[in-house]
Amino acid sequence: MTTEEAHKRIEYLTQELNRHNYLYYVKHSPEISDYDFDKLLEELQTLEKQYPQFLKPDSPTQRVGGEVTKEFPVVKHKYPMLSLANSYSIEEIIEFENRIKKLIESRVEYVCELKYDGVAIGITYLNGKFYRAVTRGDGEQGEDITPNVKTIRSIPLQLQGNDYPAEFEIRGEIFFPRKNFEKLNKEREESGETLFANPRNTASGTLKMQDSAVVAKRGLDCYLYGIYGDNLPFTSHAQAIQKAGEWGFKIPPVEKKYIAICKTVDDIVAFINYWEIERKNLPFDIDGIVIKVNDYAQQQELGFTAKSPRWAIAYKYKAERVSTQLLSIVYQVGRTGAITPVANLNPILLGGTIVKRASLHNADQIEKLGLCAGDYVWVEKGGEIIPKIVGIDTTKPRDTTQPIKYIDTCPECNTPLVRNEGEALHYCPNEFSCPPQIIGKIIHFTSRKAMNIEGLGEETIDQLYQAGLIKNIADIYDLKKAQLLPLERMAEKSVTNLLQGIENSKKIPFERVLFALGIRYVGETVAKKLAKHFKSLDNIINARYEELLTVDEVGEKIAESVVNYFHEIYNLQIVERLKLAGLQTELKTNEAVLSEKLKGITFVVSGTFKYFSRDGIKQTIEQHGGKVSGSVSKNTGYLVAGEDMGPAKLLKAQELGIKIINETEFKNLIA
């Protein structure tokens, strides 16, 4: 065989195997036997080894795995992966539909889909070829797990047709089919290994495995149902999904009623009720239904809240409820000193997992339930995730009628507990000496969303604390190699990696350092607002209570907490040590507020621009003191209109008399 003949044969085999793969895994209508498929694949593998110059990323041989990934790089989402607002009753769905009708005057139709119980994924395609797969993560950024996702045979490596955009992202849910999950657990049982708890968690763990060959053998599957990109040639969600199917993606089948267009709220309710019964017959798990406004222009007009789109909602089916015996109550101490009572239960199977513990929230909840030692209680999963006790099983006899008394001293340091007026939780006030609070603060400080210190997990932190090497967050930056090497599980390489992770954390931006301090009520968003407003940690330390209240999203409780935190001499000493260690305590110039020219003005941005990216123009608005909104309302100051802007936003702005400006006029505002 000549080189040219080998090249042609490789191209032919690639096309044929991709076609047969699509017919088998997506269309469920194979044309050849598994044996014949394997023989063609073996031939292709042999030729690619002989002629490696012709091996392509979209070759079917790349699905068998074998690539070992030591760590998965973090990637910023081009389009944030927001979560949906949840509802648990038909009344809430009716309220959602009524809100839509008030905001949209024209007729609205909806798309109802199954809410797959798996792992959200975003896959980017460039010129029709699989490029990258990223997890949801925190919505702003996720992990690149491309090698593992490429092993899922229902996901195409090369698209069909030629009318797809040059670049776009398709999103969906990777899940573990029940049949494959049961097969895996049977194999583990036969080999004496621990069984996996449920398909969802196992799918998530599988996608983070280092060896993609193992992932390939597990048999994960995926439905893809959302397309994102610039200037997409669709006017509706349903239209986009239909086109995705033509390109070779495995989309929710209409004929199986996995997806449906609903014109009224009655249609939506009928879809919900149908799947509440039929979901037990599905080959995979779902935990609800997703309802979306179909029309893209109407979606754009409705916009987003800070956390979720206004044009979509998830209906969650009611959680399974099981009765079991309450064995005891333990009290956990969090990093802020908050006491959380947790019930130890006689183990039960609930929602596919073995449940041994359940949250009791606070003293009021225990009193409200009227719990006594040894009671039989009803347990369900809140949002089908966190087990909680919802009542006493009155059909079972009680050992005693003496109510459980809530503790009055800290279970860790014996300090008398306090309960602030208007708050549900009890607190241990001994924040600088209570071990769980100290360890909790350090765990929060080193976490991924904060300082992201590689090699400093919970076990290592506990080990260093017990060894007396760290008693607060500043001690981390005083750690030396000679101190760490004698410790158990601390070899040369792990110590080097840990110290490098600590050094790398000094580059973490200021707003994350502020969040990492663990000031009560100061989450990620508030930390960003404070950082942008005050520009440096020193300015925040010196800020008066009244000044803090002027910052967007900072209320009395947050302002009081910030003032109290920096009034503590101990905290100021810690901050001083962090400064000396080299942490970022000032906003970089390109992140800072450049002026107050747009202060108090709300902007809506639509379309594409010559001098700015969409994100760039929004960032510029914020840097000059303005606010950005996703939808036009009477509070909008300006609509910044680019090319191909949404007609719905333009019409709404004209109706409300909102001033519409172009890119040049916007630049003049901040000149």
Side-chain angles (χ1 to χ4, degrees):
M1 186 180 287
T2 66
T3 302
E4 182 59 31
E5 287 172 337
H7 189 197
K8 287 182 178 178
R9 183 62 180 169
I10 286 172
E11 287 194 331
Y12 169 78
L13 288 170
T14 297
Q15 290 174 1
E16 273 299 283
L17 285 165
N18 278 336
R19 186 174 73 84
H20 287 303
N21 195 74
Y22 169 73
L23 290 171
Y24 185 91
Y25 288 100
V26 178
K27 303 303 287 183
H28 303 293
S29 56
E31 289 182 356
I32 60 175
S33 67
D34 290 351
Y35 174 81
D36 291 336
F37 183 93
D38 290 342
K39 297 302 288 185
L40 291 174
L41 188 64
E42 284 175 18
E43 182 186 352
L44 180 58
Q45 285 174 317
T46 302
L47 285 172
E48 287 176 342
K49 283 180 181 177
Q50 292 175 349
Y51 303 93
Q53 66 269 35
F54 301 133
L55 175 61
K56 294 181 178 180
D58 64 329
S59 169
T61 62
Q62 301 307 291
R63 290 193 184 277
V64 297
E67 186 172 339
V68 176
T69 308
K70 292 294 184 185
E71 57 182 49
F72 300 101
V74 175
V75 177
K76 185 175 176 62
H77 292 300
K78 186 173 181 181
Y79 311 97
M81 291 185 78
L82 299 176
S83 56
L84 295 178
N86 289 328
S87 65
Y88 297 91
S89 69
I90 296 299
E91 287 73 24
E92 288 177 300
I93 297 300
I94 294 170
E95 287 173 13
F96 164 76
E97 201 260 350
N98 284 335
R99 286 197 301 271
I100 299 295
K101 285 196 291 191
K102 286 178 183 176
L103 294 168
I104 303 290
E105 293 180 3
S106 54
R107 187 178 176 184
V108 179
E109 66 178 18
Y110 304 88
V111 175
C112 286
E113 303 167 312
L114 303 182
K115 188 175 184 297
Y116 305 95
D117 199 13
V119 180
I121 196 74
I123 308 171
T124 300
Y125 282 79
L126 298 180
N127 300 315
K129 296 183 186 298
F130 183 113
Y131 172 63
R132 183 165 64 195
V134 182
T135 62
R136 180 197 298 277
D138 62 3
E140 293 293 328
Q141 56 185 18
E143 290 178 302
D144 184 339
I145 56 171
T146 299
N148 289 344
V149 173
K150 285 176 74 173
T151 68
I152 300 173
R153 295 178 181 269
S154 54
I155 297 175
L157 301 181
Q158 169 67 56
L159 301 185
Q160 300 174 13
N162 56 13
D163 60 342
Y164 39 75
E167 178 181 353
F168 69 93
E169 181 181 339
I170 189 163
R171 290 177 179 170
E173 201 90 4
I174 293 173
F175 56 86
F176 219 135
R178 288 174 184 163
K179 183 179 176 182
N180 295 352
F181 176 73
E182 289 163 6
K183 179 186 173 187
L184 175 63
N185 258 349
K186 186 177 180 182
E187 291 170 355
R188 292 178 71 84
E189 186 177 22
E190 289 171 354
S191 60
E193 296 178 88
T194 306
L195 301 187
F196 288 125
N198 61 61
R200 177 178 52 185
N201 292 351
T202 310
S204 179
T206 299
L207 288 170
K208 297 290 182 68
M209 296 183 78
Q210 294 184 347
D211 188 351
S212 61
V214 179
V215 181
K217 293 175 183 176
R218 290 277 174 93
L220 297 177
D221 205 347
C222 183
Y223 275 115
L224 297 159
Y225 47 72
I227 297 179
Y228 296 78
D230 298 328
N231 304 315
L232 293 174
F234 316 116
T235 60
S236 72
H237 177 63
Q239 189 184 94
I241 299 309
Q242 182 181 357
K243 180 56 72 172
E246 294 173 15
W247 293 337
F249 290 110
K250 185 173 183 177
I251 60 170
V254 175
E255 67 277 9
K256 291 186 178 181
K257 300 183 180 179
Y258 288 12
I259 185 171
I261 292 178
C262 297
K263 298 186 182 299
T264 67
V265 73
D266 290 338
D267 294 341
I268 295 172
V269 172
F271 189 90
I272 289 170
N273 291 339
Y274 175 82
W275 282 111
E276 184 158 22
I277 298 168
E278 288 297 318
R279 63 182 172 138
K280 298 179 181 66
N281 300 320
L282 286 167
F284 48 80
D285 290 341
I286 66 169
D287 60 353
I289 299 298
V290 174
I291 303 107
K292 301 174 183 172
V293 170
N294 187 26
D295 186 85
Y296 279 167
Q298 291 176 339
Q299 286 186 10
Q300 195 173 36
E301 185 176 348
L302 290 163
F304 300 82
T305 67
K307 295 181 180 179
S308 57
R310 290 192 179 93
W311 43 265
I313 194 169
Y315 177 87
K316 302 290 285 288
Y317 288 120
K318 288 180 181 177
E320 181 185 354
R321 178 181 288 194
V322 179
S323 174
T324 188
Q325 190 173 24
L326 170 65
L327 302 178
S328 64
I329 295 177
V330 295
Y331 296 86
Q332 297 177 340
V333 185
R335 67 176 175 85
T336 63
I339 308 296
T340 304
V342 177
N344 286 323
L345 305 168
N346 203 8
I348 46 166
L349 182 65
L350 178 63
T353 60
I354 300 296
V355 173
K356 299 177 183 179
R357 293 153 71 85
S359 173
L360 282 167
H361 303 296
N362 52 56
D364 291 343
Q365 181 69 6
I366 293 174
E367 186 179 347
K368 181 181 176 183
L369 290 167
L371 290 177
C372 299
D375 274 349
Y376 279 83
V377 293
W378 291 109
V379 183
E380 64 179 43
K381 286 188 176 181
E384 298 201 13
I385 298 172
I386 303 168
K388 61 180 179 179
I389 293 175
V390 294
I392 296 173
D393 183 354
T394 55
T395 65
K396 303 284 176 61
R398 306 180 85 173
D399 293 338
T400 176
T401 55
Q402 184 65 37
I404 291 170
K405 186 181 178 185
Y406 201 86
I407 59 171
D408 51 18
T409 60
C410 176
E412 298 287 341
C413 66
N414 292 319
T415 302
L417 300 181
V418 297
R419 184 177 183 181
N420 299 325
E421 189 177 344
E423 292 192 5
L425 295 175
H426 286 73
Y427 288 89
C428 169
N430 186 21
E431 62 174 306
F432 304 125
S433 302
C434 184
Q437 293 192 59
I438 296 168
I439 293 171
K441 284 179 171 66
I442 298 172
I443 290 171
H444 171 77
F445 183 81
T446 60
S447 64
R448 199 177 109 189
K449 293 183 180 180
M451 302 306 291
N452 193 25
I453 301 180
E454 294 285 338
L456 205 51
E458 292 186 22
E459 284 186 22
T460 305
I461 289 169
D462 189 62
Q463 183 184 18
L464 295 176
Y465 177 81
Q466 299 302 335
L469 294 180
I470 53 173
K471 294 292 184 183
N472 55 60
I473 56 177
D475 286 344
I476 293 169
Y477 296 92
D478 293 335
L479 289 172
K480 300 290 187 290
K481 194 172 188 178
Q483 295 174 301
L484 298 170
L485 282 173
L487 299 176
E488 210 176 314
R489 303 192 320 275
M490 284 289 186
E492 179 84 26
K493 187 176 181 181
S494 58
V495 169
T496 301
N497 290 342
L498 172 56
L499 293 175
Q500 186 58 54
I502 292 170
E503 190 61 31
N504 292 343
S505 74
K506 295 176 183 179
K507 299 174 186 175
I508 293 292
F510 166 47
E511 66 267 23
R512 282 174 61 184
V513 175
L514 181 60
F515 169 63
L517 292 179
I519 304 169
R520 190 180 295 177
Y521 310 127
V522 177
E524 288 178 87
T525 302
V526 171
K528 285 179 184 178
K529 301 278 186 184
L530 288 169
K532 282 188 176 183
H533 184 91
F534 289 103
K535 304 182 183 63
S536 76
L537 191 54
D538 282 340
N539 288 344
I540 296 174
I541 291 170
N542 296 320
R544 290 178 291 107
Y545 173 79
E546 291 75 18
E547 288 179 273
L548 290 163
L549 287 174
T550 64
V551 180
D552 187 30
E553 292 192 31
V554 173
E556 294 178 0
K557 194 155 65 170
I558 296 174
E560 185 178 357
S561 179
V562 172
V563 170
N564 289 342
Y565 183 89
F566 291 116
H567 272 184
E568 283 284 351
I569 299 298
Y570 180 85
N571 290 335
L572 292 175
Q573 290 171 341
I574 294 294
V575 166
E576 204 56 42
R577 288 177 62 193
L578 294 177
K579 285 183 190 174
L580 292 171
L583 273 65
Q584 303 294 317
T585 57
E586 293 185 1
L587 209 62
K588 291 181 180 177
T589 307
N590 62 341
E591 297 172 331
V593 175
L594 303 178
S595 78
E596 297 291 325
K597 290 181 179 178
L598 307 181
K599 186 175 180 180
I601 304 174
T602 300
F603 290 78
V604 172
V605 179
S606 183
T608 56
F609 302 92
K610 182 178 179 182
Y611 301 105
F612 296 93
S613 66
R614 283 280 289 278
D615 287 341
I617 201 166
K618 289 177 181 178
Q619 184 180 21
T620 303
I621 289 168
E622 290 175 346
Q623 286 175 335
H624 289 276
K627 294 182 182 179
V628 180
S629 174
S631 57
V632 176
S633 70
K634 62 181 181 181
N635 297 320
T636 304
Y638 292 95
L639 171 62
V640 186
E643 292 183 18
D644 302 317
M645 73 167 296
K649 285 186 178 177
L650 178 62
L651 183 62
K652 187 90 173 196
Q654 290 170 338
E655 288 175 355
L656 295 173
I658 306 298
K659 188 166 184 181
I660 302 166
I661 59 174
N662 59 29
E663 191 174 10
T664 303
E665 290 169 316
F666 171 74
K667 288 173 72 178
N668 290 337
L669 284 178
I670 58 173

